[in-house]
Amino acid sequence: MSSLSDKQIDLQLEELAGWQRDGNSIVKTYHFSDFIEAMSFMNQAAFYAEALEHHPEWRNIYNIVEVRLTNQDTGGVSSLDIRLAKRMEHIVQPKRL
Amino acid sequence: MSSLSDKQIDLQLEELAGWQRDGNSIVKTYHFSDFIEAMSFMNQAAFYAEALEHHPEWRNIYNIVEVRLTNQDTGGVSSLDIRLAKRMEHIVQPKRL
């Protein structure tokens, strides 16, 4: 597992609506209808993160979930971060798949 | 629902190990054995928060959960924050009850 190049990250972010680069991380703030929806999202993402053995840094306040993904082993954005971000998008937009 | 006085908050915090005053909030950082334990704690606390209609501001990184409780309606620490903090303590130390 190695960090992606800036070019690779930019390319991936084009497919990840609302995700932005922030230093060595990619970040997105999700807004849900309420706390239950926010927690449901976190739980669905949590199962995938655990299976992937790659975990998010995230903050929740009522209906908001702020997600930060980075790879502490490589010190940058890795393909695991992209996979987890894509899965989070799948959770909030299941109809797209 | 009104904010508690400094004296009332101090008195309550004496019974809440690890909880500290931080401005208009009370805060605690929980350390768990792993991500699953951290998420399990958040889920148990979430059910109670939802029932109480009073929600935490919290941040998770792998096995760590940083919790901040405040009452935005009153602009200070209220009895709801104390109740939620006590419930969180109950979750991590169920044998005490």
Side-chain angles (χ1 to χ4, degrees), chain A residues 28-65:
Chain A
K28 179 169 181 175
T29 300
Y30 287 96
H31 294 259
F32 298 94
S33 55
D34 56 26
F35 179 69
I36 292 176
E37 292 294 327
M39 285 301 301
S40 299
F41 165 77
M42 290 180 78
N43 273 298
Q44 289 182 69
F47 282 106
Y48 192 72
E50 183 64 17
L52 213 55
E53 293 185 9
H54 187 62
H55 304 84
E57 173 183 331
W58 47 9
R59 182 164 168 262
N60 161 248
I61 308 176
Y62 192 60
N63 65 323
I64 297 169
V65 180

mmCIF file of all heavy atoms in Angstrom, chain A residues 28-65:
data_model
loop_
_atom_site.group_PDB
_atom_site.id
_atom_site.type_symbol
_atom_site.label_atom_id
_atom_site.label_comp_id
_atom_site.label_asym_id
_atom_site.label_seq_id
_atom_site.Cartn_x
_atom_site.Cartn_y
_atom_site.Cartn_z
ATOM 1 N N LYS A 28 -15.053 15.088 3.466
ATOM 2 C CA LYS A 28 -16.396 15.449 3.009
ATOM 3 C C LYS A 28 -17.299 15.628 4.221
ATOM 4 O O LYS A 28 -17.163 14.912 5.215
ATOM 5 C CB LYS A 28 -17.001 14.376 2.089
ATOM 6 C CG LYS A 28 -18.422 14.742 1.617
ATOM 7 C CD LYS A 28 -18.952 13.850 0.509
ATOM 8 C CE LYS A 28 -20.359 14.284 0.081
ATOM 9 N NZ LYS A 28 -20.870 13.507 -1.072
ATOM 10 N N THR A 29 -18.199 16.584 4.134
ATOM 11 C CA THR A 29 -19.204 16.775 5.181
ATOM 12 C C THR A 29 -20.549 16.326 4.647
ATOM 13 O O THR A 29 -21.034 16.858 3.653
ATOM 14 C CB THR A 29 -19.276 18.257 5.617
ATOM 15 O OG1 THR A 29 -17.996 18.651 6.131
ATOM 16 C CG2 THR A 29 -20.331 18.443 6.702
ATOM 17 N N TYR A 30 -21.112 15.319 5.282
ATOM 18 C CA TYR A 30 -22.422 14.803 4.888
ATOM 19 C C TYR A 30 -23.512 15.430 5.753
ATOM 20 O O TYR A 30 -23.348 15.556 6.976
ATOM 21 C CB TYR A 30 -22.483 13.282 5.081
ATOM 22 C CG TYR A 30 -21.688 12.489 4.065
ATOM 23 C CD1 TYR A 30 -20.396 12.062 4.333
ATOM 24 C CD2 TYR A 30 -22.250 12.141 2.834
ATOM 25 C CE1 TYR A 30 -19.669 11.317 3.405
ATOM 26 C CE2 TYR A 30 -21.543 11.402 1.909
ATOM 27 C CZ TYR A 30 -20.248 10.989 2.202
ATOM 28 O OH TYR A 30 -19.538 10.259 1.282
ATOM 29 N N HIS A 31 -24.614 15.787 5.112
ATOM 30 C CA HIS A 31 -25.773 16.317 5.835
ATOM 31 C C HIS A 31 -26.939 15.348 5.668
ATOM 32 O O HIS A 31 -27.308 15.034 4.535
ATOM 33 C CB HIS A 31 -26.170 17.690 5.285
ATOM 34 C CG HIS A 31 -25.137 18.746 5.536
ATOM 35 N ND1 HIS A 31 -25.257 19.674 6.551
ATOM 36 C CD2 HIS A 31 -23.957 19.006 4.935
ATOM 37 C CE1 HIS A 31 -24.186 20.463 6.545
ATOM 38 N NE2 HIS A 31 -23.387 20.091 5.572
ATOM 39 N N PHE A 32 -27.470 14.906 6.769
ATOM 40 C CA PHE A 32 -28.597 13.980 6.723
ATOM 41 C C PHE A 32 -29.854 14.658 7.252
ATOM 42 O O PHE A 32 -29.804 15.802 7.709
ATOM 43 C CB PHE A 32 -28.265 12.715 7.525
ATOM 44 C CG PHE A 32 -27.091 11.970 6.964
ATOM 45 C CD1 PHE A 32 -25.807 12.199 7.455
ATOM 46 C CD2 PHE A 32 -27.246 11.083 5.918
ATOM 47 C CE1 PHE A 32 -24.706 11.550 6.919
ATOM 48 C CE2 PHE A 32 -26.146 10.422 5.369
ATOM 49 C CZ PHE A 32 -24.873 10.661 5.872
ATOM 50 N N SER A 33 -30.971 13.952 7.200
ATOM 51 C CA SER A 33 -32.228 14.568 7.647
ATOM 52 C C SER A 33 -32.312 14.653 9.168
ATOM 53 O O SER A 33 -32.939 15.552 9.711
ATOM 54 C CB SER A 33 -33.424 13.798 7.093
ATOM 55 O OG SER A 33 -33.329 12.437 7.434
ATOM 56 N N ASP A 34 -31.663 13.708 9.840
ATOM 57 C CA ASP A 34 -31.693 13.738 11.305
ATOM 58 C C ASP A 34 -30.582 12.855 11.876
ATOM 59 O O ASP A 34 -29.773 12.295 11.137
ATOM 60 C CB ASP A 34 -33.070 13.324 11.841
ATOM 61 C CG ASP A 34 -33.496 11.952 11.327
ATOM 62 O OD1 ASP A 34 -32.615 11.129 10.992
ATOM 63 O OD2 ASP A 34 -34.704 11.693 11.251
ATOM 64 N N PHE A 35 -30.587 12.735 13.176
ATOM 65 C CA PHE A 35 -29.555 11.973 13.884
ATOM 66 C C PHE A 35 -29.593 10.488 13.536
ATOM 67 O O PHE A 35 -28.555 9.853 13.354
ATOM 68 C CB PHE A 35 -29.759 12.178 15.400
ATOM 69 C CG PHE A 35 -28.782 11.442 16.276
ATOM 70 C CD1 PHE A 35 -27.440 11.803 16.319
ATOM 71 C CD2 PHE A 35 -29.204 10.408 17.104
ATOM 72 C CE1 PHE A 35 -26.542 11.143 17.138
ATOM 73 C CE2 PHE A 35 -28.323 9.742 17.936
ATOM 74 C CZ PHE A 35 -26.984 10.111 17.952
ATOM 75 N N ILE A 36 -30.799 9.950 13.424
ATOM 76 C CA ILE A 36 -30.934 8.525 13.107
ATOM 77 C C ILE A 36 -30.316 8.220 11.739
ATOM 78 O O ILE A 36 -29.599 7.230 11.570
ATOM 79 C CB ILE A 36 -32.416 8.086 13.135
ATOM 80 C CG1 ILE A 36 -32.949 8.147 14.575
ATOM 81 C CG2 ILE A 36 -32.584 6.682 12.579
ATOM 82 C CD1 ILE A 36 -34.437 7.829 14.709
ATOM 83 N N GLU A 37 -30.570 9.088 10.774
ATOM 84 C CA GLU A 37 -30.000 8.897 9.436
ATOM 85 C C GLU A 37 -28.466 9.012 9.483
ATOM 86 O O GLU A 37 -27.750 8.270 8.804
ATOM 87 C CB GLU A 37 -30.564 9.934 8.467
ATOM 88 C CG GLU A 37 -32.036 9.753 8.151
ATOM 89 C CD GLU A 37 -32.315 8.465 7.390
ATOM 90 O OE1 GLU A 37 -31.465 8.041 6.596
ATOM 91 O OE2 GLU A 37 -33.399 7.884 7.603
ATOM 92 N N ALA A 38 -27.969 9.948 10.270
ATOM 93 C CA ALA A 38 -26.522 10.133 10.391
ATOM 94 C C ALA A 38 -25.870 8.899 11.006
ATOM 95 O O ALA A 38 -24.851 8.395 10.524
ATOM 96 C CB ALA A 38 -26.216 11.375 11.230
ATOM 97 N N MET A 39 -26.479 8.384 12.075
ATOM 98 C CA MET A 39 -25.925 7.199 12.736
ATOM 99 C C MET A 39 -26.035 5.972 11.837
ATOM 100 O O MET A 39 -25.168 5.104 11.845
ATOM 101 C CB MET A 39 -26.650 6.945 14.065
ATOM 102 C CG MET A 39 -26.281 7.894 15.192
ATOM 103 S SD MET A 39 -24.508 7.897 15.640
ATOM 104 C CE MET A 39 -24.251 6.170 16.096
ATOM 105 N N SER A 40 -27.111 5.895 11.074
ATOM 106 C CA SER A 40 -27.284 4.763 10.160
ATOM 107 C C SER A 40 -26.175 4.759 9.108
ATOM 108 O O SER A 40 -25.609 3.711 8.774
ATOM 109 C CB SER A 40 -28.649 4.833 9.484
ATOM 110 O OG SER A 40 -29.676 4.771 10.449
ATOM 111 N N PHE A 41 -25.871 5.934 8.598
ATOM 112 C CA PHE A 41 -24.770 6.058 7.646
ATOM 113 C C PHE A 41 -23.455 5.607 8.285
ATOM 114 O O PHE A 41 -22.690 4.839 7.699
ATOM 115 C CB PHE A 41 -24.644 7.509 7.174
ATOM 116 C CG PHE A 41 -23.344 7.818 6.491
ATOM 117 C CD1 PHE A 41 -23.120 7.427 5.178
ATOM 118 C CD2 PHE A 41 -22.331 8.485 7.167
ATOM 119 C CE1 PHE A 41 -21.908 7.690 4.544
ATOM 120 C CE2 PHE A 41 -21.115 8.758 6.540
ATOM 121 C CZ PHE A 41 -20.909 8.358 5.235
ATOM 122 N N MET A 42 -23.198 6.095 9.493
ATOM 123 C CA MET A 42 -21.940 5.746 10.156
ATOM 124 C C MET A 42 -21.835 4.238 10.389
ATOM 125 O O MET A 42 -20.774 3.650 10.224
ATOM 126 C CB MET A 42 -21.807 6.506 11.482
ATOM 127 C CG MET A 42 -21.577 7.999 11.293
ATOM 128 S SD MET A 42 -21.415 8.932 12.850
ATOM 129 C CE MET A 42 -19.708 8.532 13.307
ATOM 130 N N ASN A 43 -22.945 3.628 10.740
ATOM 131 C CA ASN A 43 -22.921 2.189 10.972
ATOM 132 C C ASN A 43 -22.656 1.403 9.704
ATOM 133 O O ASN A 43 -21.867 0.453 9.703
ATOM 134 C CB ASN A 43 -24.244 1.746 11.608
ATOM 135 C CG ASN A 43 -24.192 1.885 13.103
ATOM 136 O OD1 ASN A 43 -23.391 1.241 13.760
ATOM 137 N ND2 ASN A 43 -25.018 2.754 13.645
ATOM 138 N N GLN A 44 -23.305 1.798 8.635
ATOM 139 C CA GLN A 44 -23.079 1.093 7.369
ATOM 140 C C GLN A 44 -21.616 1.259 6.932
ATOM 141 O O GLN A 44 -20.962 0.305 6.515
ATOM 142 C CB GLN A 44 -24.009 1.638 6.287
ATOM 143 C CG GLN A 44 -25.462 1.244 6.502
ATOM 144 C CD GLN A 44 -26.365 1.762 5.393
ATOM 145 O OE1 GLN A 44 -26.289 1.294 4.255
ATOM 146 N NE2 GLN A 44 -27.203 2.728 5.699
ATOM 147 N N ALA A 45 -21.112 2.479 7.062
ATOM 148 C CA ALA A 45 -19.715 2.732 6.690
ATOM 149 C C ALA A 45 -18.762 1.980 7.617
ATOM 150 O O ALA A 45 -17.709 1.508 7.195
ATOM 151 C CB ALA A 45 -19.436 4.233 6.720
ATOM 152 N N ALA A 46 -19.153 1.868 8.882
ATOM 153 C CA ALA A 46 -18.286 1.220 9.876
ATOM 154 C C ALA A 46 -18.041 -0.255 9.542
ATOM 155 O O ALA A 46 -16.924 -0.759 9.690
ATOM 156 C CB ALA A 46 -18.899 1.351 11.262
ATOM 157 N N PHE A 47 -19.084 -0.938 9.095
ATOM 158 C CA PHE A 47 -18.924 -2.354 8.744
ATOM 159 C C PHE A 47 -17.915 -2.499 7.602
ATOM 160 O O PHE A 47 -17.080 -3.398 7.596
ATOM 161 C CB PHE A 47 -20.271 -2.966 8.328
ATOM 162 C CG PHE A 47 -21.165 -3.299 9.480
ATOM 163 C CD1 PHE A 47 -22.277 -2.529 9.766
ATOM 164 C CD2 PHE A 47 -20.882 -4.393 10.296
ATOM 165 C CE1 PHE A 47 -23.107 -2.839 10.840
ATOM 166 C CE2 PHE A 47 -21.703 -4.713 11.363
ATOM 167 C CZ PHE A 47 -22.824 -3.923 11.639
ATOM 168 N N TYR A 48 -18.012 -1.602 6.656
ATOM 169 C CA TYR A 48 -17.104 -1.675 5.516
ATOM 170 C C TYR A 48 -15.680 -1.291 5.925
ATOM 171 O O TYR A 48 -14.709 -1.927 5.500
ATOM 172 C CB TYR A 48 -17.608 -0.760 4.397
ATOM 173 C CG TYR A 48 -16.887 -0.997 3.098
ATOM 174 C CD1 TYR A 48 -17.121 -2.152 2.356
ATOM 175 C CD2 TYR A 48 -15.964 -0.080 2.629
ATOM 176 C CE1 TYR A 48 -16.452 -2.384 1.170
ATOM 177 C CE2 TYR A 48 -15.287 -0.308 1.439
ATOM 178 C CZ TYR A 48 -15.543 -1.462 0.722
ATOM 179 O OH TYR A 48 -14.862 -1.685 -0.449
ATOM 180 N N ALA A 49 -15.566 -0.260 6.749
ATOM 181 C CA ALA A 49 -14.244 0.171 7.227
ATOM 182 C C ALA A 49 -13.549 -0.957 7.980
ATOM 183 O O ALA A 49 -12.351 -1.202 7.796
ATOM 184 C CB ALA A 49 -14.385 1.397 8.125
ATOM 185 N N GLU A 50 -14.322 -1.643 8.804
ATOM 186 C CA GLU A 50 -13.746 -2.731 9.605
ATOM 187 C C GLU A 50 -13.299 -3.881 8.696
ATOM 188 O O GLU A 50 -12.218 -4.453 8.890
ATOM 189 C CB GLU A 50 -14.773 -3.216 10.632
ATOM 190 C CG GLU A 50 -14.271 -4.283 11.573
ATOM 191 C CD GLU A 50 -13.143 -3.826 12.487
ATOM 192 O OE1 GLU A 50 -12.926 -2.607 12.643
ATOM 193 O OE2 GLU A 50 -12.454 -4.704 13.047
ATOM 194 N N ALA A 51 -14.101 -4.185 7.704
ATOM 195 C CA ALA A 51 -13.748 -5.261 6.766
ATOM 196 C C ALA A 51 -12.496 -4.888 5.974
ATOM 197 O O ALA A 51 -11.671 -5.735 5.650
ATOM 198 C CB ALA A 51 -14.923 -5.524 5.820
ATOM 199 N N LEU A 52 -12.387 -3.610 5.693
ATOM 200 C CA LEU A 52 -11.265 -3.101 4.914
ATOM 201 C C LEU A 52 -10.019 -2.909 5.791
ATOM 202 O O LEU A 52 -8.916 -2.686 5.287
ATOM 203 C CB LEU A 52 -11.668 -1.742 4.321
ATOM 204 C CG LEU A 52 -11.160 -1.273 2.970
ATOM 205 C CD1 LEU A 52 -11.453 -2.287 1.887
ATOM 206 C CD2 LEU A 52 -11.762 0.085 2.619
ATOM 207 N N GLU A 53 -10.235 -3.005 7.104
ATOM 208 C CA GLU A 53 -9.169 -2.708 8.090
ATOM 209 C C GLU A 53 -8.587 -1.328 7.849
ATOM 210 O O GLU A 53 -7.371 -1.106 7.948
ATOM 211 C CB GLU A 53 -8.074 -3.784 8.074
ATOM 212 C CG GLU A 53 -8.575 -5.125 8.575
ATOM 213 C CD GLU A 53 -7.480 -6.172 8.676
ATOM 214 O OE1 GLU A 53 -6.295 -5.798 8.519
ATOM 215 O OE2 GLU A 53 -7.804 -7.345 8.906
ATOM 216 N N HIS A 54 -9.470 -0.417 7.490
ATOM 217 C CA HIS A 54 -9.069 0.966 7.250
ATOM 218 C C HIS A 54 -10.201 1.859 7.763
ATOM 219 O O HIS A 54 -11.322 1.761 7.264
ATOM 220 C CB HIS A 54 -8.828 1.201 5.758
ATOM 221 C CG HIS A 54 -8.254 2.544 5.460
ATOM 222 N ND1 HIS A 54 -7.023 2.934 5.932
ATOM 223 C CD2 HIS A 54 -8.757 3.601 4.784
ATOM 224 C CE1 HIS A 54 -6.783 4.172 5.522
ATOM 225 N NE2 HIS A 54 -7.816 4.597 4.835
ATOM 226 N N HIS A 55 -9.877 2.702 8.739
ATOM 227 C CA HIS A 55 -10.935 3.393 9.485
ATOM 228 C C HIS A 55 -10.926 4.895 9.260
ATOM 229 O O HIS A 55 -9.864 5.501 9.127
ATOM 230 C CB HIS A 55 -10.799 3.050 10.968
ATOM 231 C CG HIS A 55 -10.836 1.580 11.245
ATOM 232 N ND1 HIS A 55 -9.699 0.788 11.138
ATOM 233 C CD2 HIS A 55 -11.852 0.750 11.564
ATOM 234 C CE1 HIS A 55 -10.033 -0.473 11.410
ATOM 235 N NE2 HIS A 55 -11.331 -0.524 11.674
ATOM 236 N N PRO A 56 -12.106 5.473 9.273
ATOM 237 C CA PRO A 56 -12.202 6.918 9.072
ATOM 238 C C PRO A 56 -11.928 7.682 10.364
ATOM 239 O O PRO A 56 -11.994 7.131 11.459
ATOM 240 C CB PRO A 56 -13.668 7.105 8.669
ATOM 241 C CG PRO A 56 -14.393 6.026 9.416
ATOM 242 C CD PRO A 56 -13.444 4.847 9.423
ATOM 243 N N GLU A 57 -11.633 8.965 10.196
ATOM 244 C CA GLU A 57 -11.684 9.895 11.319
ATOM 245 C C GLU A 57 -12.958 10.684 11.040
ATOM 246 O O GLU A 57 -13.089 11.265 9.951
ATOM 247 C CB GLU A 57 -10.462 10.814 11.264
ATOM 248 C CG GLU A 57 -10.511 11.914 12.293
ATOM 249 C CD GLU A 57 -9.318 12.868 12.160
ATOM 250 O OE1 GLU A 57 -8.234 12.445 11.715
ATOM 251 O OE2 GLU A 57 -9.498 14.053 12.496
ATOM 252 N N TRP A 58 -13.899 10.650 11.958
ATOM 253 C CA TRP A 58 -15.156 11.336 11.686
ATOM 254 C C TRP A 58 -15.762 11.935 12.925
ATOM 255 O O TRP A 58 -15.513 11.503 14.036
ATOM 256 C CB TRP A 58 -16.145 10.440 10.955
ATOM 257 C CG TRP A 58 -16.331 9.049 11.479
ATOM 258 C CD1 TRP A 58 -15.846 8.524 12.659
ATOM 259 C CD2 TRP A 58 -17.053 7.991 10.839
ATOM 260 N NE1 TRP A 58 -16.220 7.215 12.784
ATOM 261 C CE2 TRP A 58 -16.969 6.863 11.696
ATOM 262 C CE3 TRP A 58 -17.766 7.880 9.666
ATOM 263 C CZ2 TRP A 58 -17.563 5.649 11.383
ATOM 264 C CZ3 TRP A 58 -18.358 6.673 9.354
ATOM 265 C CH2 TRP A 58 -18.249 5.573 10.207
ATOM 266 N N ARG A 59 -16.600 12.955 12.665
ATOM 267 C CA ARG A 59 -17.195 13.747 13.734
ATOM 268 C C ARG A 59 -18.679 13.876 13.426
ATOM 269 O O ARG A 59 -19.062 14.124 12.285
ATOM 270 C CB ARG A 59 -16.519 15.129 13.728
ATOM 271 C CG ARG A 59 -16.959 16.086 14.797
ATOM 272 C CD ARG A 59 -15.921 17.211 14.871
ATOM 273 N NE ARG A 59 -16.395 18.325 15.687
ATOM 274 C CZ ARG A 59 -16.950 19.427 15.202
ATOM 275 N NH1 ARG A 59 -17.089 19.577 13.904
ATOM 276 N NH2 ARG A 59 -17.347 20.390 16.008
ATOM 277 N N ASN A 60 -19.466 13.663 14.421
ATOM 278 C CA ASN A 60 -20.919 13.757 14.238
ATOM 279 C C ASN A 60 -21.521 14.786 15.186
ATOM 280 O O ASN A 60 -21.211 14.818 16.376
ATOM 281 C CB ASN A 60 -21.557 12.377 14.494
ATOM 282 C CG ASN A 60 -23.065 12.471 14.773
ATOM 283 O OD1 ASN A 60 -23.511 12.208 15.886
ATOM 284 N ND2 ASN A 60 -23.846 12.875 13.777
ATOM 285 N N ILE A 61 -22.353 15.643 14.631
ATOM 286 C CA ILE A 61 -23.197 16.538 15.427
ATOM 287 C C ILE A 61 -24.593 16.458 14.835
ATOM 288 O O ILE A 61 -24.828 16.935 13.727
ATOM 289 C CB ILE A 61 -22.716 17.998 15.361
ATOM 290 C CG1 ILE A 61 -21.240 18.098 15.697
ATOM 291 C CG2 ILE A 61 -23.541 18.860 16.316
ATOM 292 C CD1 ILE A 61 -20.687 19.503 15.543
ATOM 293 N N TYR A 62 -25.489 15.833 15.568
ATOM 294 C CA TYR A 62 -26.875 15.617 15.153
ATOM 295 C C TYR A 62 -26.974 15.026 13.735
ATOM 296 O O TYR A 62 -26.737 13.838 13.565
ATOM 297 C CB TYR A 62 -27.700 16.914 15.292
ATOM 298 C CG TYR A 62 -29.179 16.636 15.153
ATOM 299 C CD1 TYR A 62 -29.819 15.763 16.034
ATOM 300 C CD2 TYR A 62 -29.937 17.225 14.143
ATOM 301 C CE1 TYR A 62 -31.169 15.478 15.897
ATOM 302 C CE2 TYR A 62 -31.300 16.941 14.014
ATOM 303 C CZ TYR A 62 -31.902 16.058 14.884
ATOM 304 O OH TYR A 62 -33.234 15.771 14.738
ATOM 305 N N ASN A 63 -27.304 15.840 12.728
ATOM 306 C CA ASN A 63 -27.514 15.288 11.378
ATOM 307 C C ASN A 63 -26.291 15.423 10.470
ATOM 308 O O ASN A 63 -26.364 15.126 9.286
ATOM 309 C CB ASN A 63 -28.706 15.981 10.701
ATOM 310 C CG ASN A 63 -28.438 17.448 10.446
ATOM 311 O OD1 ASN A 63 -27.797 18.093 11.267
ATOM 312 N ND2 ASN A 63 -28.914 17.978 9.345
ATOM 313 N N ILE A 64 -25.194 15.883 11.038
ATOM 314 C CA ILE A 64 -23.983 16.128 10.244
ATOM 315 C C ILE A 64 -22.886 15.119 10.568
ATOM 316 O O ILE A 64 -22.649 14.804 11.737
ATOM 317 C CB ILE A 64 -23.466 17.559 10.498
ATOM 318 C CG1 ILE A 64 -24.510 18.586 10.036
ATOM 319 C CG2 ILE A 64 -22.121 17.793 9.812
ATOM 320 C CD1 ILE A 64 -24.205 19.995 10.472
ATOM 321 N N VAL A 65 -22.243 14.599 9.529
ATOM 322 C CA VAL A 65 -21.079 13.730 9.721
ATOM 323 C C VAL A 65 -19.927 14.277 8.876
ATOM 324 O O VAL A 65 -20.019 14.326 7.643
ATOM 325 C CB VAL A 65 -21.365 12.269 9.310
ATOM 326 C CG1 VAL A 65 -20.122 11.405 9.518
ATOM 327 C CG2 VAL A 65 -22.537 11.695 10.115
#
